[in-house]
């Protein structure tokens, strides 16, 4: 990373999302008073940024470091993630009948999912807090992202996963050299054990005791979209939701751009997309509930979103309501169809979470919940190579021929 | 004998005067909270339950690894030897 003149250390501290009590930016993640989650806040008045501030910087998410929770640029554990393409859709947009559709393609991050963003921030902050080991609980994507950053940082890494994850995800994560603990149970069991390990062994677990810092990385999904649209906000964003943390962070990102004067009043609509079989936020939204009822046995092909007890579920629900969005679900078949549709029209191969986004986008356009003239951004958060078996069964088999032109000829159309 | 074991995570240890493992008699989770409240002060009840007397949404209680939200909430029965854990409701990435 190039040396940049910058004043770091503009983190104001941690603030409870429930009771607003403030704390120093240390290794803590729940409020002592009410046990609410803690969020990082900044001294926004001290942050002097303009579009020109960012323009000359490296095309990574670290270009927004004034709004990331690090004390020093030298702490950054850099995999050169972020600033992924904001792909202007032509053929998919035409098929759906949308005038202006963009795909935020995070499938091309260094470990092939958006998780490089929060993991990068979490591991960098772990170094600043002088932690000796890190870890995470994961459905697969965070496992790879955490392990890769741990490898770069030279830190021991413990990854807790549920049994039965997609093999490519496990193989990818294992290759970076962490200790992987496969927990006999579902994601929530793995997460609980990771939380207990964080407490008992003083490990920095990214999505648990480092969570306030970790989630800040996902704000860059909002920063980049705004910058790539010429410092404008879209009319509508579609966000795949598991725990709700990413959706909450994307909203915080837009809110912070407003706080530092880079955006006007927030008017973007924020919609949540979940897989049928694990859609507690959609369920709460549709039933008008003020609580998110956990799902005991999540069952969706979108395993990276199969979080039955979504930690930020209620907060994500509140943001969807605040920003006039919707919450909608997609069945396994709709997800697979959407993965293929995205690949066939835009050349982007996504894992099921991205299929959930596209399937829900299609459903919302069909239902009239997204106007055809709206400027829409659909978040594609992971790469299809992580889950090839999801689509394989639905695909046509290859044509098998002898190496002979005459045998081949009948198969070639469009000549 | 006949007691359940509450494993106290670090973030709750000050509420329980620094103790990290508490043994007590309790027939269900509600009963456990009340017993703890009698032993360690009203603060326990006030901090673990919301205004309507339900378990706070920001907390999860597990009995032998099972979230009580799936087993009857505060009415979840406890048996001798059960391990109870309280954790912040933080899951997913």
């Amino acid at each position: 990373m190039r040396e940049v003149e910058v004043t770091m250390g503009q983190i104001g501290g941690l603030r409870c999302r429930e009771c607003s009590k403030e704390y120093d930016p240390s290794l803590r993640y729940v409020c002592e008073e009410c046990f609410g989650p803690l969020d990082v806040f900044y001294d926004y008045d001290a942050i002097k940024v303009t579009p020109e501030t960012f323009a000359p910087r490296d095309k990574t998410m670290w270009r927004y470091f004034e709004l990331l929770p690090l004390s020093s640029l030298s702490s950054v554990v850099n995999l050169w993630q972020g600033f992924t393409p904001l792909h202007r859709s032509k053929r998919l947009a035409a098929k759906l009948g949308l005038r202006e559709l963009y795909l935020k393609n995070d499938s091309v991050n260094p470990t092939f999912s958006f998780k490089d963003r929060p993991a990068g921030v979490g591991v960098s902050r772990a170094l600043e807090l002088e932690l000796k080991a890190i870890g995470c609980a994961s459905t697969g994507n965070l496992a790879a992202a955490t392990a890769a950053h741990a490898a770069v940082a030279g830190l021991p890494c413990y990854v807790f996963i549920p049994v039965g994850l997609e093999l490519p995800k496990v193989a990818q994560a294992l290759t970076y050299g962490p200790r992987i603990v496969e927990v006999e149970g579902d994601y929530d069991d793995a997460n609980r054990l990771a939380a207990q390990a964080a407490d008992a062994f003083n490990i920095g677990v990214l999505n648990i005791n480092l969570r306030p810092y970790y989630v800040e990385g996902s704000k860059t999904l909002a920063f980049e979209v705004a910058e790539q649209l010429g410092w404008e906000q879209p009319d509508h964003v579609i966000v795949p939701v598991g725990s709700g943390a990413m959706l909450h962070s994307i909203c915080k990102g837009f809110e912070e751009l407003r706080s530092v004067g880079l955006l006007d009043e927030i008017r973007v609509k924020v919609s949540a997309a979940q897989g049928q079989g694990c859609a507690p936020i959609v369920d709460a939204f549709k039933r008008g509930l003020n609580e998110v009822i956990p799902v005991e046995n999540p069952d969706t092909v979108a395993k990276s979103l199969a979080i039955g007890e979504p930690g930020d579920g209620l907060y994500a629900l509140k943001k969807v309501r605040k920003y006039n969005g919707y919450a909608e679900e997609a069945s396994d078949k709709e997800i697979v169809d959407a993965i293929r549709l995205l690949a066939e029209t835009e050349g982007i191969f996504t894992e099921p979470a991205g299929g959930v986004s596209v399937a829900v986008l299609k459903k919302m356009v069909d239902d009239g919940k997204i106007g055809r003239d709206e400027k829409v951004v659909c978040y594609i958060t992971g790469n299809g190579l992580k889950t090839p078996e999801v689509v394989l069964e639905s695909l046509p088999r290859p044509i098998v021929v002898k190496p002979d032109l005459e045998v081949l000829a009948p198969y070639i159309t469009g000549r | 004998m006949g007691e359940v074991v509450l494993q106290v995570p670090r973030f709750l240890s000050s509420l329980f005067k620094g103790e990290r493992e508490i043994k007590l008699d309790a027939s269900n989770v509600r009963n456990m909270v009340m017993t703890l409240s009698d032993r360690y002060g009203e603060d326990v009840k006030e901090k673990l339950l919301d205004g309507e007397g339900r378990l706070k949404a920001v907390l999860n209680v597990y009995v032998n690894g099972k979230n009580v939200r799936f087993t009857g909430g505060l009415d979840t029965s406890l048996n001798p030897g059960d391990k109870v854990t309280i954790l912040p409701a933080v899951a997913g990435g």
Side-chain angles (χ1 to χ4, degrees):
Chain A
M1 176 162 286
R2 276 200 296 268
E3 284 304 314
V4 185
E5 279 185 37
V6 61
T7 312
M8 298 293 291
Q10 282 150 347
I11 316 173
L14 300 174
R15 182 182 291 136
C16 177
R17 209 181 281 175
E18 291 288 327
C19 75
S20 300
K21 184 177 163 77
E22 294 182 2
Y23 298 90
D24 291 337
S26 56
L27 183 66
R28 61 168 73 236
Y29 67 115
V30 283
C31 176
E32 284 175 2
E33 291 300 316
C34 72
F35 313 133
L38 302 179
D39 288 317
V40 176
F41 66 95
Y42 300 80
D43 181 0
Y44 296 107
D45 291 339
I47 297 174
K48 305 294 180 201
V49 287
T50 66
E52 290 70 37
T53 310
F54 304 109
R57 293 182 181 170
D58 289 334
K59 287 194 162 40
T60 73
M61 71 167 205
W62 304 110
R63 68 204 266 112
Y64 309 106
F65 47 69
E66 286 92 343
L67 288 164
L68 292 174
L70 299 176
S71 306
S72 167
L73 204 52
S74 63
S75 317
V76 168
V77 179
N78 194 3
L79 277 180
W80 300 83
Q81 61 267 59
F83 221 81
T84 53
L86 186 68
H87 176 108
R88 174 80 190 257
S89 162
K90 288 183 184 152
R91 294 190 62 226
L92 179 61
K95 264 193 189 285
L96 299 180
L98 286 172
R99 191 178 53 81
E100 199 172 352
L101 170 65
Y102 298 87
L103 304 159
K104 181 60 175 164
N105 184 9
D106 250 28
S107 72
V108 295
N109 264 317
T111 72
F112 309 107
S113 85
F114 86 98
K115 291 290 190 188
D116 284 323
R117 300 172 185 273
V121 172
V123 175
S124 302
R125 187 62 183 156
L127 287 182
E128 293 192 339
L129 295 171
E130 300 181 340
L131 296 174
K132 302 297 179 223
I134 56 169
C136 68
S138 175
T139 57
N141 287 333
L142 180 57
T146 304
H149 283 86
V152 176
L155 285 173
C157 179
Y158 299 89
V159 170
F160 296 80
I161 60 172
V163 290
L165 284 186
E166 300 96 335
L167 201 59
K169 285 186 177 174
V170 179
Q172 185 197 0
L174 276 167
T175 308
Y176 300 114
R179 176 61 60 90
I180 293 199
V181 182
E182 198 172 48
V183 179
E184 293 172 0
D186 62 14
Y187 172 80
D188 295 296
D189 293 311
N191 190 72
R192 177 174 48 78
L193 188 60
Q196 289 177 287
D199 194 66
F201 307 123
N202 206 25
I203 300 170
V205 178
L206 296 196
N207 62 310
I208 296 175
N209 56 356
L210 281 166
R211 192 178 186 83
Y213 307 104
Y214 158 85
V215 296
E216 290 288 284
S218 298
K219 292 186 313 191
T220 57
L221 282 163
F223 298 164
E224 289 176 17
V225 162
E227 182 172 3
Q228 289 167 317
L229 291 175
W231 295 105
E232 292 285 338
Q233 50 192 310
D235 297 319
H236 208 137
V237 293
I238 313 296
V239 183
V241 170
S243 72
M246 187 183 80
L247 185 145
H248 190 268
S249 293
I250 287 172
C251 293
K252 188 169 187 262
F254 284 120
E255 289 160 4
E256 288 186 347
L257 291 182
R258 163 101 176 114
S259 296
V260 298
L262 286 166
L263 287 182
D264 297 330
E265 201 65 46
I266 308 296
R267 51 172 177 71
V268 60
K269 294 179 201 161
V270 179
S271 286
Q274 296 201 284
Q276 204 174 70
C278 189
I281 292 153
V282 174
D283 183 56
F285 180 83
K286 289 189 171 177
R287 291 167 62 194
L289 302 179
N290 289 318
E291 61 177 332
V292 173
I293 298 167
V295 174
E296 186 167 11
N297 297 304
D299 182 19
T300 167
V301 73
K303 290 183 184 170
S304 62
L305 304 180
I307 295 163
E309 302 169 28
D312 286 293
L314 184 59
Y315 302 107
L317 178 67
K318 286 180 180 172
K319 291 293 186 193
V320 167
R321 285 182 177 145
K322 178 177 179 184
Y323 292 117
N324 304 307
Y326 297 89
E328 190 53 83
E329 63 189 9
S331 69
D332 284 359
K333 182 175 184 311
E334 289 168 332
I335 294 167
V336 172
D337 288 348
I339 292 172
R340 292 185 57 185
L341 177 65
L342 180 67
E344 288 168 7
T345 54
E346 299 295 343
I348 295 172
F349 182 27
T350 184
E351 65 144 314
V356 171
S357 296
V358 173
V360 162
L361 167 69
K362 181 175 185 302
K363 199 175 271 190
M364 286 176 56
V365 174
D366 290 347
D367 292 348
K369 291 173 179 166
I370 292 178
R372 298 188 185 274
D373 288 332
E374 285 190 87
K375 186 188 289 185
V376 181
V377 172
C378 187
Y379 283 98
I380 307 299
T381 48
N383 195 299
L385 285 175
K386 287 169 175 273
T387 57
E389 76 285 356
V390 168
V391 283
L392 204 53
E393 269 184 28
S394 77
L395 297 172
R397 301 292 105 184
I399 301 160
V400 181
V401 296
K402 291 191 164 37
D404 182 322
L405 191 61
E406 279 184 30
V407 178
L408 173 69
Y411 295 106
I412 307 299
T413 58
R415 282 183 285 177
Chain B
M1 291 301 288
E3 293 174 316
V4 300
V5 180
L6 173 67
Q7 294 165 326
V8 181
R10 209 172 303 194
F11 80 100
L12 282 178
S13 63
S14 61
L15 194 58
F16 298 110
K17 306 197 183 333
E19 289 189 46
R20 299 299 303 273
E21 190 172 288
I22 297 167
K23 292 181 177 166
L24 73 164
D25 284 313
S27 59
N28 62 28
V29 176
R30 185 189 315 279
N31 189 229
M32 180 194 78
V33 173
M34 297 311 156
T35 304
L36 289 167
S37 208
D38 289 343
R39 199 185 290 182
Y40 295 95
E42 286 290 300
D43 243 20
V44 172
K45 200 164 55 186
E46 284 165 17
K47 290 205 167 185
L48 299 184
L49 306 182
D50 68 17
E52 292 164 29
R54 298 179 307 181
L55 181 66
K56 274 190 180 172
V58 292
L59 295 173
N60 280 330
V61 174
Y62 299 88
V63 177
N64 301 325
K66 189 86 185 158
N67 190 332
V68 302
R69 291 192 202 281
F70 299 126
T71 57
L74 292 173
D75 294 323
T76 300
S77 55
L78 294 174
N79 295 302
D82 280 350
K83 273 191 201 168
V84 183
T85 312
I86 306 175
L87 290 171
V90 172

